[in-house]
Amino acid sequence: MTSKRSGPDIYDRLGVQKVINAQSWVTVLGGSLMRPEVFRAMEEAGQHFVIMEQLYAAAGKVVASACGAEAGMVCAGASSGNLLMAASILTGTDDAKIEQLPDTKGMKNEILMFKCQRNYYDKAFEQSGARLIDVGMPDGARPYHLEGAINDRTAAVAYVFAPSMKRPISLSEVVKIAHARGVPVIVDASAEVPPIENLTMPMKMGADMVTYSGGKGLAGPQNAGLVAGRKDLVAAALKHYMNPGSSRASVGRPAKVSKETIVGMVTAIELFLDADHAGIWDGWRAQARSIATAVEGIPGLRVVVEENENRQGPQPVIYFEAGWKGLSPAEIGKQMRNGNPPVMLGVSGDNDAINMAMVNVQPGEEKIIAARLLEILNPAKK
């Protein structure tokens, strides 16, 4: 009898296709790859029972230190981090209010957010029971827009750092305006590390709370995230998460993670802090240049390696100019996806460029990407 567990690896046995990920740390492709040390730590954690509150406290110290904050915790991804931040702002550590959510009757329940920063994931703030109130215009905002929007119902201002996200007013200016009116500022910085400096940047700029994805640049478990900030607010977030002594689970209960995930996340943070970030960046740069060099010189295409705040590390970017006579970027992306193995890359919303994030491209895969692009873009040059 043939074992159901036979076969070269788990994905082959399950009939799931493996891909080359040049799209970035996106959830739809599984986030990032954990290091062996993280797997070993999670396996070790799974061999014992512990008092979870002690583990929350120990992990919180690691998160707080890494983020330059008073306190921290591990949760189930940055989306749950947004939920916990919003909930903690609404209720503080008041048990009655914690149990009351998502009903916000009698509470300040409005969270201000720049209209140009509204995004696919912002519903997580609303799941707490808060109302999101747009500030400014679709293409930006001025300080007076924020000043004029703050009123006696304002619970917080939410600020978002993300690739290609507009920053109409700096976080430090937002903090200055909000704090002058006694309003806290919460920050969604899900995919903002690396560079390592971004792990402490929001706290240095005066934010009250911040959340990061654990399964992107930090290379922890994909279902993990971090929340860090003021001690009183993190204490409130932990109450929503744990519900000690409550008669009903709070809105934060879905943010919980296992002891194995917490230990894996703490291990990933420690590895990230000790990593050779300059060396890793140089490796991404070399891969990006390898792809760019392979496909440059084709009429109608402008190929560059870009490194800026809108790119997650050095990336080869192909711009399609007026003289381009070939396939559209969307069709090129489709053909790359339909190849064997599938290659996933980024296509701009304006359908005028293709970008390739090197952060998850494994050694040697840049050669496969370059060869496949060359085959599609210019078969004669192959």
Side-chain angles (χ1 to χ4, degrees), residues 91-105:
T91 67
T93 56
D94 186 316
D95 290 331
K97 288 182 177 179
I98 289 171
E99 197 166 320
Q100 181 181 321
L101 291 188
D103 177 4
T104 61
K105 184 178 180 180

Side-chain angles (χ1 to χ4, degrees), residues 203-286:
M203 290 294 106
K204 288 180 178 177
M205 297 180 78
D208 297 275
M209 298 187 86
V210 63
T211 188
Y212 296 94
S213 172
K216 298 186 187 300
L218 292 171
Q222 171 62 9
N223 64 332
L226 313 181
V227 170
R230 280 171 30 194
K231 187 175 181 179
D232 62 316
L233 292 176
V234 174
L238 279 166
K239 275 199 163 190
H240 279 284
Y241 182 96
M242 295 187 296
N243 313 117
S246 176
S247 62
R248 295 184 71 200
S250 80
V251 294
R253 188 60 173 173
K256 74 171 186 173
V257 289
S258 69
K259 61 185 184 297
E260 295 82 6
T261 297
I262 294 172
V263 169
M265 191 66 252
V266 166
T267 304
I269 292 170
E270 293 171 340
L271 291 169
F272 179 81
L273 295 176
D274 290 339
D276 175 11
H277 293 280
I280 292 170
W281 207 271
D282 286 344
W284 292 338
R285 187 180 293 114

Side-chain angles (χ1 to χ4, degrees), residues 20 35 53 91 110 230 262 329 355:
I20 292 175
R35 287 172 56 172
E53 288 190 38
T91 67
E110 294 183 354
R230 280 171 30 194
I262 294 172
N355 69 287

Side-chain angles (χ1 to χ4, degrees), residues 16 38 63 67-68 83 96 104 129 140 165 185-186 202-203 212 217 226 235 267-268 310-311 332 360 373:
V16 175
V38 176
V63 173
C67 297
L83 165 61
T104 61
M165 180 69 71
V185 177
I186 57 179
M203 290 294 106
Y212 296 94
L226 313 181
T267 304
N310 291 325
R311 303 292 182 195
I332 293 166
N360 277 330
L373 278 172

Side-chain angles (χ1 to χ4, degrees), residues 1-44:
M1 182 180 293
T2 303
S3 169
K4 291 182 180 180
R5 295 179 63 82
S6 63
D9 70 27
I10 186 63
Y11 291 118
D12 290 330
R13 295 198 296 271
L14 290 172
V16 175
Q17 195 171 28
K18 297 183 287 291
V19 306
I20 292 175
N21 179 4
Q23 190 172 341
S24 189
W25 296 299
V26 290
T27 301
V28 294
L29 297 180
S32 60
L33 299 181
M34 293 187 291
R35 287 172 56 172
E37 297 95 325
V38 176
F39 285 109
R40 288 197 293 269
M42 294 177 73
E43 182 179 12
E44 183 179 351

